[in-house]
Amino acid sequence: MTSTKNRSGLVPMTIGEIISSVADGEKSPVRIEAYDGSSFGPEDCPLVIRIVSEEAVQQFVAAPGDLGLARAYLTGSIEIVRGVHPAAPHDVFGALEILRKKMAHKPDLATTLRILRSVGIKAINPNVPIPHMEIVAPWRRALSGAGRHTKERDSKAVSYHYDVSNKFYEWVLGPSMTYTCACYPTADATLEEAQENKYRLVFDKLGLSEGDRLLDVGCGWGGMVRYAARRGVRVIGVTLSKEQASWAQAAIAEEGLGDLAEVRLQDYRDVPEGEFDAISSIGITEHIGAENYAAYFAKLRSMLKPGGLLLNHCITRPENTRTTKAGAFIDRYIFPDGELAGAATVQLEAENTGFETVHGENLRPHYAFTLREWCKNLEAHWDEAVEEVGMPMAKLWGLYMGACQYAFETNVVQLHQILLVNLDAEKGKPWDVPLRQWWKA
């Protein structure tokens, strides 16, 4: 494609030239081929992305970073033309993340002006329609005046993500219906073995035995609830997802665990019972909001017996200085109002309410393995998933899980389990947990 000067005297740039102006093509993990006939990246790249329309450029300019990339992929203005199945876009997103975060550099002023002239005034103030992906917007607008993490808003946010379709989640998560990080006993263990091992680890860390009482907050489809009940523990699980509660109660009935286990559609803040021997919190802290950590831990502590244990399992940041807000893509399309803090921040807030830390560990590689298997499951059931939830939603979940796999592999995020004990209110009471770690890793 031959470039000609425009009225400003600046030579317009091709799409390939624009990308080359901000990235090193020799190190590119992808080859990009654009609708104007230009390209970027080595010819022998196993992964090729095609920019098929001007809309993609407008989306990148309108929302630089992960949101623009996501929108372009979801609306079909960029396509995967070889090297990876569209249902498993981990390789694509990972490569684009490398391109965006590690290779990109800011162009000089003259190049910036040429880019703006080349993409046109529409790209500076674009109005790019995303008709089928702004599905979260209606409830956001309805609650725009409400503060983050009110009970009503939390319920809406959780419902948006988890009430997609139980059948869809069965295909993605597998038989365990567990939507949290597994714990792999060996690198070659199956996903189901690793999820069972995770529940075993939580159960053992909490020192549970037959006849004990357990509260599982944010219980999902009831995996931990049923695991504990099978071992004679009396369990209450709470979730804000109607679909999860319905599925979990049916699974409890099917296993004949109704005398020991119950899953409620209830906010953890509204649980009236107390004096639990232990509490498991697996994957709920991400939805709480950092400003609410103190109230959250105080509420859980108030429901524990003196000496009772709390296992908090949550996604964390690798440091404690950045904002806790999620990225634009995750916040808009995946986990509305989700927040992540560093493990030290989570632990500090728990200790400030009176908990004492017994143990902590980082399971980051395990979550990368877990997400790898979820991506494989989605790819294996791609046609059924598209029929169940539609192409946009299936692509959205594939992109999100692929992005998260990349994030855990590269230490963008981590997964921490923190074991806490509710100190006896009476001062001077002796330490009443074993002196050394009592569970098998």
Side-chain angles (χ1 to χ4, degrees):
M1 179 177 179
T2 303
S3 297
T4 58
K5 289 186 177 181
N6 57 25
R7 280 182 286 181
S8 68
L10 296 172
V11 178
M13 303 172 74
T14 66
I15 302 302
E17 288 172 337
I18 290 173
I19 297 172
S20 296
S21 70
V22 297
D24 183 352
E26 293 300 316
K27 298 178 182 178
S28 175
V30 298
R31 177 173 173 79
I32 298 176
E33 298 175 349
Y35 59 86
D36 63 0
S38 62
S39 62
F40 166 82
E43 292 186 5
D44 60 350
C45 273
L47 191 61
V48 178
I49 309 300
R50 179 173 294 151
I51 301 176
V52 300
S53 73
E54 190 179 73
E55 231 178 47
V57 180
Q58 296 172 17
Q59 286 161 332
F60 296 154
V61 174
D66 56 357
L67 185 56
L69 284 171
R71 284 175 166 172
Y73 172 73
L74 295 170
T75 58
S77 56
I78 63 173
E79 295 178 349
I80 306 157
V81 294
R82 73 171 184 265
V84 68
H85 190 289
H90 160 63
D91 292 336
V92 176
F93 198 93
L96 291 176
E97 283 290 274
I98 293 171
L99 188 68
R100 181 172 71 86
K101 291 183 175 179
K102 297 185 178 180
M103 296 168 54
H105 60 265
K106 187 176 180 179
D108 58 34
L109 179 59
T111 303
T112 300
L113 290 174
R114 286 186 65 198
I115 292 173
L116 292 176
R117 290 286 185 181
S118 300
V119 299
I121 193 66
K122 284 196 304 180
I124 301 173
N125 292 293
N127 182 23
V128 183
I130 321 285
H132 51 264
M133 290 320 307
E134 297 296 349
I135 49 183
V136 72
W139 75 261
R140 274 185 184 275
R141 285 195 294 268
L143 296 177
S144 60
R148 288 168 68 96
H149 303 296
T150 60
K151 290 180 182 180
E152 180 185 7
R153 184 164 174 132
D154 280 353
S155 178
K156 294 283 188 180
V158 167
S159 179
Y160 163 74
H161 185 87
Y162 295 99
D163 289 340
V164 173
S165 158
N166 282 335
K167 180 58 67 176
F168 174 76
Y169 276 114
E170 286 174 10
W171 286 323
V172 173
L173 304 180
S176 74
M177 281 295 275
T178 300
Y179 196 23
T180 49
C181 175
C183 183
Y184 282 73
T186 61
D188 60 353
T190 67
L191 175 62
E192 291 306 305
E193 290 170 341
Q195 291 293 15
E196 182 78 0
N197 186 54
K198 185 266 297 296
Y199 289 132
R200 188 276 310 166
L201 180 63
V202 173
F203 187 93
D204 289 353
K205 282 183 174 181
L206 290 173
L208 290 165
S209 58
E210 186 174 351
D212 285 345
R213 296 176 65 242
L214 170 68
L215 173 65
D216 186 31
V217 294
C219 67
W221 287 270
M224 184 68 208
V225 170
R226 286 177 287 117
Y227 183 94
R230 292 186 205 113
R231 288 151 183 81
V233 173
R234 293 169 291 164
V235 196
I236 295 172
V238 294
T239 175
L240 292 177
S241 164
K242 293 179 182 178
E243 292 288 321
Q244 288 181 336
S246 175
W247 193 100
Q249 278 298 104
I252 288 169
E254 185 176 343
E255 290 192 44
L257 299 172
D259 291 341
L260 291 169
E262 175 190 5
V263 168
R264 301 172 182 168
L265 181 64
Q266 186 175 50
D267 193 296
Y268 76 94
R269 288 165 285 196
D270 295 329
V271 174
E273 290 89 352
E275 292 293 300
F276 289 98
D277 295 287
I279 297 177
S280 50
S281 168
I282 307 175
I284 184 178
T285 316
E286 298 89 332
H287 297 288
I288 296 299
E291 291 186 357
N292 300 311
Y293 285 171
Y296 166 69
F297 284 114
K299 171 61 177 175
L300 297 190
R301 183 168 178 252
S302 74
M303 293 187 286
L304 272 174
K305 289 180 178 178
L309 293 169
L310 164 66
L311 190 286
N312 197 80
H313 167 123
C314 70
I315 301 171
T316 56
R317 295 196 184 279
E319 79 306 294
N320 295 273
T321 57
R322 288 175 51 200
T323 176
T324 59
K325 302 295 175 60
F329 165 63
I330 293 291
D331 186 60
R332 180 172 292 271
Y333 295 127
I334 305 299
F335 286 111
D337 293 349
E339 296 183 39
L340 302 177
T345 299
V346 177
Q347 183 174 326
L348 175 68
E349 294 290 354
E351 291 174 349
N352 283 346
T353 65
F355 279 110
E356 181 173 357
T357 301
V358 176
H359 183 267
E361 65 175 315
N362 182 6
L363 300 178
R364 176 171 69 84
H366 297 261
Y367 218 158
F369 290 170
T370 305
L371 284 152
R372 175 195 64 196
E373 298 307 309
W374 290 345
C375 287
K376 287 180 181 178
N377 286 345
L378 177 57
E379 183 173 8
H381 294 283
W382 182 252
D383 292 339
E384 298 101 314
V386 171
E387 183 176 355
E388 178 72 14
V389 300
M391 178 66 78
M393 187 65 76
K395 289 178 73 174
L396 177 66
W397 251 243
L399 181 61
Y400 135 67
M401 291 192 300
C404 288
Q405 181 183 341
Y406 172 81
F408 281 101
E409 287 174 346
T410 56
N411 198 31
V412 175
V413 285
Q414 300 176 347
L415 189 289
H416 276 84
Q417 285 193 353
I418 303 173
L419 183 62
L420 303 154
V421 61
N422 178 21
L423 292 179
D424 196 317
E426 293 183 43
K427 301 297 182 182
K429 287 287 186 180
W431 175 270
D432 57 359
V433 295
L435 293 176
R436 301 292 296 170
Q437 179 174 315
W438 58 89
W439 61 89
K440 180 183 175 183

